[in-house]
Amino acid sequence: MLKCASFFAGVGGIDKGFEKNDLFNVIYANEIDKYPVKTYELNSEIKVDCRDIHDIKEDEIPDFDVMLAGFPCQAFSIAGYRKGFEDEKGRGTLFFELIRIIKAKRPQIVFLENVKNLVGHDDGNTFRVIMEALEENGYFVKSKVLNAMEYGNIPQNRERIYIVCFRDENACQRFQFPDAIPLDKKLSDIIDFNNLLDEKYYYTEGKYKGDIFEKLSEAMDDDDSVYQWRRKYVRKNKSGVVPTLTANQGEGGHNVCLIKTKYGIRKMTPHECFNTQGFPQDFLLPDDVSDARLYKQAGNSVCVSVIERIADAIADAYLNMEN
Ligand SMILES: C[S@@+](CC[C@H](N)C(=O)[O-])C[C@H]1O[C@@H](n2cnc3c(N)ncnc32)[C@H](O)[C@@H]1O
């Protein structure tokens, strides 16, 4: 079994995807925000280390074989950082905190996840600096952008970059990202169109200021589509899947995913958002955390079923290396 340490762990989506494979066992997780930590701990035996990653000394982390990290896509100044700059507080950019830990722990495998735009950021410099830092530290690297609706059998249009690094060159050569698979999961498998839910999720006449309800009623003509309220207008997702869940969804009503059911127009619930990220049906959400925080946690997380498939491919490459 390989010991995994998870950084920027959020609610543990990456961890759940890896742990589905018997080869991987998460032994340590770090996350600074106490709200996702509540969700994480409700679904795991791990007690999350809630410190700022900058404050964690390498020898305070137990030894591990696999690093897991969906690091924040903060406005990277990574290219600058490499030339000697630090952030305004004089501390390292978050990605370089991972490199600091990698240097000390030298894990066999490093798995990173980020937004697709990481590749194009700063004319490709950010991505180049990240690749160089990994290679200079002895890793062989493969990366690919995968869409959840093509690779995770989940009806969500979510493109993310996955970076897989091995210390062993042969293992890296053997590693192949999973192939695309048919999408047979339907919106009705992740969204409850049939039952009456809590009244707080519904839009009714007069409930909200202005003419939102009228605009929604007019635009939402289809009961098998997901719509989004974009501050002033309603957008229909034409491909019949859920649009990319975002961390700011729900803030001020913006970006929130809307559906039409026989009981009226309503927001997707936090549970439905976690379903849309491929979390297992029995994944628990704390009942003393607001919906706004839960929407943020779901949007910040990953598509677990995509992670599972990549973790299986990593396990295959690693196990073959041992034979
Ligand atoms: C993109 S999210 C990762 C979510 C995770 N992959 C999941 O499945 O939920 C990045 C996370 O990094 C955390 N974070 C940001 N700055 C941090 C820091 N300085 N130390 C530790 N965690 C931090 C954020 O609170 C956030 O939950």
Side-chain angles (χ1 to χ4, degrees):
M1 216 182 229
L2 294 179
K3 293 182 197 151
C4 306
S6 173
F7 298 88
F8 310 112
V11 299
I14 296 180
D15 315 30
K16 281 273 167 269
F18 271 75
E19 285 202 310
K20 191 89 185 286
N21 188 302
D22 289 341
L23 180 64
F24 303 110
N25 181 26
V26 178
I27 56 152
Y28 172 88
N30 169 237
E31 163 59 52
I32 198 172
D33 182 343
K34 65 179 181 186
Y35 295 105
V37 165
K38 266 192 173 192
T39 309
Y40 190 112
E41 291 183 344
L42 197 58
N43 292 281
S44 167
E45 315 226 300
I46 286 196
K47 179 90 189 83
V48 177
D49 180 346
C50 297
R51 287 176 292 169
D52 184 327
I53 192 169
H54 295 95
D55 298 332
I56 302 174
K57 297 197 185 74
E58 296 87 335
D59 61 8
E60 293 169 341
I61 305 168
D63 287 341
F64 60 89
D65 310 296
V66 185
M67 171 183 272
L68 307 177
F71 58 106
C73 43
Q74 46 171 187
F76 295 97
S77 54
I78 281 186
Y81 176 80
R82 270 288 297 249
K83 291 182 205 129
F85 299 131
E86 289 178 337
D87 75 3
E88 68 278 7
K89 294 193 191 109
R91 310 204 292 179
T93 310
L94 290 172
F95 171 74
F96 282 95
E97 292 302 299
L98 295 176
I99 293 292
R100 170 175 70 81
I101 295 165
I102 285 173
K103 278 185 199 296
K105 296 293 188 181
R106 301 175 54 80
Q108 286 283 333
I109 297 167
V110 175
F111 173 81
L112 306 172
E113 179 262 358
N114 216 288
V115 294
K116 177 190 169 189
N117 289 348
L118 181 69
V119 185
H121 185 264
D122 187 22
D123 288 335
N125 281 322
T126 301
F127 192 64
R128 202 155 32 243
V129 170
I130 288 175
M131 288 297 141
E132 274 171 27
L134 292 164
E135 284 161 9
E136 275 168 18
N137 281 284
Y139 289 92
F140 298 90
V141 184
K142 281 188 178 160
S143 66
K144 191 169 178 185
V145 173
L146 304 179
N147 192 330
M149 62 196 246
E150 289 164 356
Y151 290 86
N153 191 19
I154 278 288
Q156 184 191 174
N157 182 10
R158 187 182 192 84
E159 288 185 295
R160 286 292 183 268
I161 183 155
Y162 300 94
I163 304 173
V164 176
C165 321
F166 292 88
R167 218 165 248 294
D168 182 276
E169 186 172 5
N170 291 330
C172 185
Q173 265 169 14
R174 254 190 313 272
F175 171 77
Q176 298 292 341
F177 277 97
D179 292 328
I181 47 171
L183 174 63
D184 51 35
K185 209 164 246 171
K186 298 186 289 299
L187 287 178
S188 57
D189 293 322
I190 56 172
I191 297 171
D192 182 354
F193 286 95
N194 293 323
N195 293 301
L196 179 64
L197 307 186
D198 192 314
E199 147 315 290
K200 68 182 172 183
Y201 296 114
Y202 292 87
Y203 284 74
T204 47
E205 206 167 352
K207 187 167 174 182
Y208 295 100
K209 278 197 296 233
D211 57 355
I212 294 185
F213 179 73
E214 286 68 29
K215 280 195 171 144
L216 293 180
S217 309
E218 216 174 274
M220 293 179 63
D221 49 359
D222 188 352
D223 52 11
D224 196 26
S225 289
V226 178
Y227 297 78
Q228 264 178 320
W229 177 247
R230 315 280 292 193
R231 276 195 214 290
K232 286 202 167 68
Y233 69 100
V234 188
R235 188 160 88 179
K236 178 177 184 172
N237 191 288
K238 298 235 166 50
S239 43
V241 297
V242 180
T244 315
L245 295 182
T246 60
N248 72 355
Q249 116 178 299
E251 271 171 32
H254 187 53
N255 271 348
V256 67
C257 291
L258 304 169
I259 49 163
K260 186 176 170 184
T261 73
K262 64 177 170 186
Y263 294 104
I265 291 169
R266 68 165 174 85
K267 301 172 190 171
M268 278 171 61
T269 66
H271 259 296
E272 289 169 334
C273 291
F274 277 86
N275 292 343
T276 303
Q277 292 280 44
F279 277 78
Q281 289 291 337
D282 59 359
F283 192 76
L284 301 171
L285 300 182
D287 46 24
D288 56 350
V289 169
S290 70
D291 280 352
R293 290 209 160 93
L294 295 172
Y295 286 128
K296 177 176 173 191
Q297 291 174 25
N300 247 339
S301 190
V302 292
C303 181
V304 178
S305 50
V306 175
I307 304 283
E308 278 171 22
R309 297 193 67 222
I310 302 173
D312 287 346
I314 293 175
D316 286 348
Y318 180 83
L319 291 173
N320 277 329
M321 171 184 114
E322 286 197 320
N323 290 333

